[in-house]
Amino acid sequence: MASDEADVLIIGAGLSGLIAARTVLAAGFTPLILEADTRVGGRILTEDLAGLPMELGAQWIGDTHHRMFALAAELGVETYQQYDEGETSYELAGTGILRGNEFHDRFDDELAELETVLRRLDELSAEVSPATPWTAPHAAEWDAITAGAWYDTQGLSPVARTLLEICTVGILAVPTVEVSFLHLLFTIQTCGVTAELFAESEGGAQTTRFVGGTAEIPQRLAALVTDHLVFDAPVQLIEHGTDSVTAHCRGGRTARGRRVIVALSPMLAGRIMYDPPLSGYRDQLTQRMPNSAAMKAFFVYDEPFWRAEGLNGQLISDIGPARMSNDTCIEGDGHGVILLFLEGEQARTHAHWSEADRREALTTELVRHFGDRAARPLHYIDGEWGNRQWTRGCYNANCGPLVWTTYGPALAEPIGPIHWASTDTATQWSAYMEGAVEAGERAAGEVIAALT
Amino acid sequence: MASDEADVLIIGAGLSGLIAARTVLAAGFTPLILEADTRVGGRILTEDLAGLPMELGAQWIGDTHHRMFALAAELGVETYQQYDEGETSYELAGTGILRGNEFHDRFDDELAELETVLRRLDELSAEVSPATPWTAPHAAEWDAITAGAWYDTQGLSPVARTLLEICTVGILAVPTVEVSFLHLLFTIQTCGVTAELFAESEGGAQTTRFVGGTAEIPQRLAALVTDHLVFDAPVQLIEHGTDSVTAHCRGGRTARGRRVIVALSPMLAGRIMYDPPLSGYRDQLTQRMPNSAAMKAFFVYDEPFWRAEGLNGQLISDIGPARMSNDTCIEGDGHGVILLFLEGEQARTHAHWSEADRREALTTELVRHFGDRAARPLHYIDGEWGNRQWTRGCYNANCGPLVWTTYGPALAEPIGPIHWASTDTATQWSAYMEGAVEAGERAAGEVIAALT
């Protein structure tokens, strides 16, 4: 059992908190992680489905996720490539279903329009520093409009506008009118360029998977700090002095330390009581970074039958309950696995449905794209994040108009002995696992410097 | 000392909670109010300044605030009229300072433009039901754009656009690009028409004041339920069954009841832990209704010297730390009192300043408009709301794009034995004291019906 005295308290055993704990420990200080849930991983969650690991949360890393590749190697978690052969199945703007080559032929002009906008986004995002987006030359202007409003001014055809919305919502997990244009540019810039962010697989953020499931990463990290980790400890109050903190958990447990790292999304961090209370400046930020809405739904078949048809298992659609899908077969296993993404509006709507109804609606969609065999899965599982008490939304925290320019500096700035982590505070691949590692290391570094 | 058993627990002793308690008590049930602070009133706060009551929070009622007039009469709180004689002092768009008549002569066309937009707002808001704004015929379209973006499409001259922004921010206390256009129309509709909402005094929301200060209202209400009210009881957790609730406060106090009314702004309600946890639908709403930013600053002089100059003490300015001011002399007292409003961006910026610096900046502004005598106040006081731990922003909760159409029904819908109050849930004069009374009565009515 962990001692309730430590040098550094860490709130949350997501990837960011675990990395912070390991880093603190390696520097010779004692961490204590207080986790509200009964598991580690936060927005990483692998569930067993008939012996197969299903990634209800974070699943992939991309070629530039150097911290994650290093971490996987260090922990002995092997990786494999995302399957990416064959054609995508499209249905957009009432065209009926078209295979990739047909779609590209028919909508060559529209795809060129889209490409022009993506290049423009790359150019504009290059002006945004991901550590200080509020300092961009046009920050005030870009933060006063929504990303959706900017998209609407680009003179796009319906097909190009719809594709742009689908690929952006695939990142933000909210409609583009809910976030500021500056926030979109920040998001692109933290990830490099749009090509890395939006690409479904090759070269993008979703190229590589983990043998045994993504949760291997937090679980093996947790094993390294297992003596410094307590579960079922939702923190309700953090009392803090110049060089002391006391965390009070539901149920009466208290823990004391010299510093605390709050490794929760900003909104969840804002739900903790602080004594003395934090400034309105910090507090108002946490009122304005809501978590987005995403669901993942997995169908497991006896084999990946779509591959024989020359399909890659990806669909892109502007009708039906899911906008995108993926072939997420597991290396070394013969089953076919299709993953459908419900993001933003689709996740919000279908979170209210029964699982049976969601499954039925998604099955209908899959049959339309991949044929009758899609109607006969062996297994189904889905997962929604807004209903999870200790997460309350995925993938990330988004900023509406004026949040970055008004409150941005409050996001990661320590307050006395309180430091902030979670991927939402990262400057590279914010909202990804890569960002969680950066944030955990950065917060731990601040604490180690303060205690040394 | 209040018993920790009651029929109805009420979280928060603001106006809404107090009204709910009184209503519950009158119906023969026992309420128990748990108040986090050491005072009643919530966003109503009267501070004594050298013997004069200064309204750091809610101050006025308007002609259609029927519930508030009835309440004041019942409680024996007398009212008096807001002073409204003389000219307003304008400085907009680099014109230098102009008195009202000069300004109206010079900007007759611009004021006509403004009037046209206000009439258009009235027409459009007539299509919005304040109880169900998401059902308006154009709700989806209006909720996908910001109020500021809609204003920008109206082809207004800089002076008209600036005036429109100032008067709207005077209501919302955030820049108009932070709220959806549907939210603006909802706000107008809950209050009747723009003329009632935006008018500085006559016919508007700010015509009438309370003898002794606005806090007389919650204080006299509290006296009626004083045996049912505990202070210093911040609720951290609400456990709820079908017909039972237990509220756990910081420090270990618990209270049990059959129903609970959470009379807090939606964001603060979202910071409480619930067991079982609330749905993602309700939770995501509370992540998306941040409180806005407002400060009030009062200068007290030996006499209202501006009146002799034919001025009404109102300034409207697009430079300087305050956009608006008011003559808020107290009936029966000879002092001159000027109140400056810092709202939205101005409140956010100046909340970081020292009180001395704010006072100096505001003094400079007053001198420019009202002359040298303004430099010699007898007293000064100001108050900011984001820093107040148990309020975290004034005047109200605002909805950004898509909040109403995505999550609106979750705002006031009870969840098991949990009912929601606070002015932010009202359908008439939401965000005003009038709305707080409506919400408290509505929530109490739900509870009484459930228990009867």
Side-chain angles (χ1 to χ4, degrees):
Chain A
M1 161 117 179
S3 158
D4 282 354
E5 297 273 352
D7 294 313
V8 183
L9 305 183
I10 295 168
I11 318 300
L15 183 52
S16 203
L18 290 167
I19 288 286
R22 186 190 67 156
T23 310
V24 162
L25 192 60
F29 297 101
T30 314
L32 175 64
I33 308 179
L34 300 168
E35 168 56 46
D37 211 335
T38 54
R39 64 173 183 87
V40 298
R43 287 171 262 185
I44 300 167
L45 173 61
T46 304
E47 294 242 329
D48 180 276
L49 182 66
L52 297 174
M54 293 290 129
E55 314 292 3
L56 295 178
Q59 180 162 349
W60 291 274
I61 57 175
D63 295 355
T64 62
H65 295 195
H66 307 301
R67 291 179 183 87
M68 282 300 294
F69 275 107
L71 181 63
E74 178 194 334
L75 296 173
V77 179
E78 295 187 13
T79 62
Y80 62 100
Q81 288 296 297
Q82 165 67 26
Y83 183 78
D84 189 33
E85 289 168 39
E87 293 182 89
T88 297
S89 179
Y90 290 88
E91 179 163 28
L92 290 173
T95 58
I97 288 169
L98 297 173
R99 288 170 70 121
N101 287 333
E102 287 178 288
F103 180 80
H104 280 259
D105 287 346
R106 175 142 13 146
F107 294 107
D108 192 41
D109 292 347
E110 287 82 352
L111 290 167
E113 287 174 45
L114 181 62
E115 195 59 26
T116 302
V117 171
L118 295 179
R119 291 296 74 72
R120 185 77 184 127
L121 288 172
D122 287 338
E123 285 169 26
L124 297 180
S125 70
E127 296 179 33
V128 177
S129 160
T132 56
W134 53 90
T135 63
H138 300 280
E141 172 194 334
W142 293 339
D143 215 23
I145 59 171
T146 69
W150 189 86
Y151 283 178
D152 287 342
T153 62
Q154 299 304 298
L156 293 169
S157 63
V159 165
R161 179 69 182 84
T162 299
L163 267 174
L164 189 59
E165 185 74 15
I166 290 172
C167 64
T168 314
V169 173
I171 308 302
L172 303 171
V174 292
T176 60
V177 298
E178 289 187 35
V179 307
S180 89
F181 185 50
L182 181 63
H183 181 72
L184 173 65
L185 295 175
F186 157 81
T187 302
I188 293 167
Q189 180 61 6
T190 74
C191 305
V193 293
T194 55
E196 294 185 74
L197 192 56
F198 292 151
E200 257 301 278
S201 45
E202 120 181 44
Q206 304 181 350
T207 59
T208 303
R209 299 178 57 192
F210 298 97
V211 173
T214 312
E216 287 293 315
I217 299 283
Q219 280 162 11
R220 292 188 194 197
L221 275 174
L224 303 178
V225 294
T226 189
D227 294 340
H228 307 277
L229 172 57
V230 294
F231 292 107
D232 264 327
V235 173
Q236 296 181 306
L237 167 68
I238 295 175
E239 294 175 316
H240 53 108
T242 308
D243 202 32
S244 68
V245 291
T246 304
H248 298 258
C249 303
R250 175 179 172 184
R253 178 174 206 142
T254 62
R256 273 165 295 278
R258 296 162 66 194
R259 297 266 151 177
V260 63
I261 294 172
V262 181
L264 305 175
S265 67
M267 179 278 300
L268 290 176
R271 289 180 171 180
I272 294 173
M273 225 174 258
Y274 299 84
D275 186 4
L278 303 189
S279 68
Y281 185 60
R282 164 75 195 180
D283 192 273
Q284 288 252 334
L285 172 81
T286 66
Q287 295 183 36
R288 287 175 165 75
M289 289 190 75
N291 289 341
S292 49
M295 294 189 68
K296 295 171 80 180
F298 295 84
F299 287 79
V300 177
Y301 300 95
D302 54 358
E303 60 173 356
F305 56 84
W306 52 90
R307 293 184 182 180
E309 311 284 327
L311 294 166
N312 61 11
Q314 295 175 28
L315 72 81
I316 294 184
S317 165
D318 65 356
I319 60 171
R323 294 288 180 257
M324 293 197 291
S325 74
N326 226 313
D327 171 326
T328 54
C329 296
I330 292 158
E331 194 176 64
D333 177 80
H335 290 91
V337 186
I338 290 269
L339 157 59
L340 292 127
F341 297 92
L342 289 79
E343 292 157 329
E345 191 186 336
Q346 278 67 44
R348 290 166 174 170
T349 302
H350 292 88
H352 298 298
W353 293 27
S354 71
E355 184 183 298
D357 288 346
R358 276 197 300 270
R359 175 178 168 161
E360 189 181 328
L362 291 166
T363 302
T364 302
E365 185 71 6
L366 285 177
V367 167
R368 288 166 48 75
H369 285 271
F370 304 125
D372 284 344
R373 288 185 70 180
R376 297 186 295 278
L378 304 175
H379 311 289
Y380 175 84
I381 189 171
D382 64 28
E384 194 273 342
W385 288 88
N387 285 315
R388 288 191 175 267
Q389 183 179 15
W390 309 120
T391 308
R392 291 302 189 186
C394 263
Y395 309 116
N396 61 334
N398 283 303
C399 295
L402 301 194
V403 176
W404 274 116
T405 48
T406 305
Y407 298 110
L411 179 59
E413 179 74 16
I415 298 174
I418 308 171
H419 301 255
W420 312 106
S422 100
T423 186
D424 313 279
T425 68
T427 62
Q428 292 185 321
W429 292 101
S430 170
Y432 289 79
M433 290 184 277
E434 181 74 5
V437 176
E438 178 203 308
E441 289 177 345
R442 190 256 311 141
E446 292 167 2
V447 166
I448 292 164
L451 295 181
T452 303
Chain B
M1 165 125 175
S3 159
D4 282 354
E5 298 272 354
D7 294 313
V8 183
L9 305 183
I10 296 168
I11 317 301
L15 182 52
S16 202
L18 291 166
I19 287 286
R22 186 190 66 155
T23 309
V24 163
L25 193 60
F29 296 100
T30 313
L32 175 64
I33 307 179
L34 301 167
E35 168 56 46
D37 211 335
T38 54
R39 63 173 183 87
V40 298
R43 288 171 262 184
I44 300 167
L45 173 61
T46 304
E47 294 243 328
D48 179 274
L49 183 65
L52 297 174
M54 293 290 128
E55 314 293 3
L56 294 178
Q59 181 163 347
W60 291 273
I61 56 176
D63 294 355
T64 62
H65 295 194
H66 306 300
R67 292 178 182 86
M68 281 300 294
F69 275 106
L71 181 63
E74 178 193 334
L75 296 172
V77 180
E78 295 187 12
T79 61
Y80 62 100
Q81 288 296 298
Q82 165 67 27
Y83 184 78
D84 188 33
E85 289 167 39
E87 295 183 88
T88 297
S89 179
Y90 290 87
E91 180 164 26
L92 290 172
T95 59
I97 288 168
L98 297 172
R99 289 171 70 122
N101 287 334
E102 287 178 287
F103 180 80
H104 281 257
D105 287 346
R106 173 136 24 139
F107 294 106
D108 192 41
D109 292 346
E110 287 82 353
L111 290 166
E113 288 174 44
L114 181 62
E115 195 59 26
T116 302
V117 172
L118 295 179
R119 291 296 74 73
R120 185 76 185 128
L121 288 172
D122 288 337
E123 285 169 27
L124 297 180
S125 69
E127 297 178 33
V128 177
S129 159
T132 55
W134 53 89
T135 64
H138 300 280
E141 172 194 334
W142 293 339
D143 214 23
I145 59 170
T146 68
W150 189 86
Y151 283 177
D152 287 342
T153 62
Q154 299 304 299
L156 293 170
S157 63
V159 164
R161 179 68 182 83
T162 299
L163 267 174
L164 189 59
E165 186 74 16
I166 290 172
C167 65
T168 315
V169 174
I171 308 302
L172 303 171
V174 292
T176 60
V177 298
E178 288 187 34
V179 306
S180 90
F181 185 49
L182 181 63
H183 181 72
L184 174 66
L185 295 175
F186 157 80
T187 301
I188 293 167
Q189 180 61 5
T190 73
C191 304
V193 292
T194 55
E196 293 184 75
L197 192 56
F198 291 150
E200 257 303 277
S201 45
E202 101 178 64
Q206 304 181 349
T207 60
T208 303
R209 299 178 59 193
F210 298 98
V211 173
T214 312
E216 287 293 314
I217 299 283
Q219 280 161 11
R220 292 188 194 196
L221 274 173
L224 303 178
V225 293
T226 189
D227 294 340
H228 309 275
L229 172 57
V230 294
F231 292 107
D232 263 327
V235 173
Q236 296 181 306
L237 167 68
I238 295 175
E239 294 175 317
H240 53 108
T242 308
D243 202 32
S244 68
V245 290
T246 303
H248 297 259
C249 304
R250 175 179 172 185
R253 179 173 204 140
T254 63
R256 274 166 294 279
R258 296 163 64 195
R259 297 266 150 177
V260 63
I261 295 172
V262 181
L264 305 175
S265 67
M267 179 278 299
L268 290 177
R271 289 181 171 179
I272 295 173
M273 225 174 257
Y274 299 84
D275 187 6
L278 303 189
S279 68
Y281 185 58
R282 165 73 195 180
D283 192 274
Q284 288 252 336
L285 172 82
T286 66
Q287 295 183 35
R288 286 175 167 74
M289 289 191 73
N291 289 340
S292 50
M295 294 189 68
K296 295 172 79 179
F298 294 85
F299 286 79
V300 177
Y301 299 96
D302 55 356
E303 60 172 356
F305 55 85
W306 52 89
R307 294 184 182 180
E309 310 284 327
L311 293 166
N312 62 11
Q314 295 176 29
L315 72 82
I316 294 184
S317 164
D318 64 358
I319 61 171
R323 295 287 180 258
M324 295 197 289
S325 73
N326 227 313
D327 171 327
T328 53
C329 296
I330 293 157
E331 194 175 64
D333 177 79
H335 291 90
V337 187
I338 290 270
L339 157 59
L340 292 127
F341 298 92
L342 289 78
E343 292 156 330
E345 191 187 336
Q346 279 66 44
R348 289 165 175 171
T349 302
H350 292 89
H352 297 297
W353 294 25
S354 70
E355 184 183 299
D357 288 346
R358 277 196 301 269
R359 176 179 167 160
E360 188 181 327
L362 291 166
T363 302
T364 302
E365 185 71 6
L366 285 177
V367 167
R368 286 165 49 75
H369 284 271
F370 303 125
D372 284 345
R373 289 185 68 179
R376 296 186 295 277
L378 304 175
H379 311 290
Y380 174 85
I381 189 171
D382 64 29
E384 193 273 343
W385 287 89
N387 285 315
R388 288 191 174 266
Q389 183 179 15
W390 309 121
T391 308
R392 290 301 190 187
C394 263
Y395 309 116
N396 60 334
N398 283 302
C399 294
L402 302 194
V403 176
W404 274 117
T405 47
T406 306
Y407 298 111
L411 180 59
E413 179 75 17
I415 297 175
I418 309 171
H419 301 254
W420 311 106
S422 100
T423 185
D424 313 279
T425 67
T427 63
Q428 292 185 321
W429 292 102
S430 170
Y432 290 78
M433 290 184 277
E434 181 75 4
V437 176
E438 178 203 310
E441 289 177 344
R442 190 256 312 141
E446 292 166 3
V447 166
I448 292 163
L451 295 182
T452 301

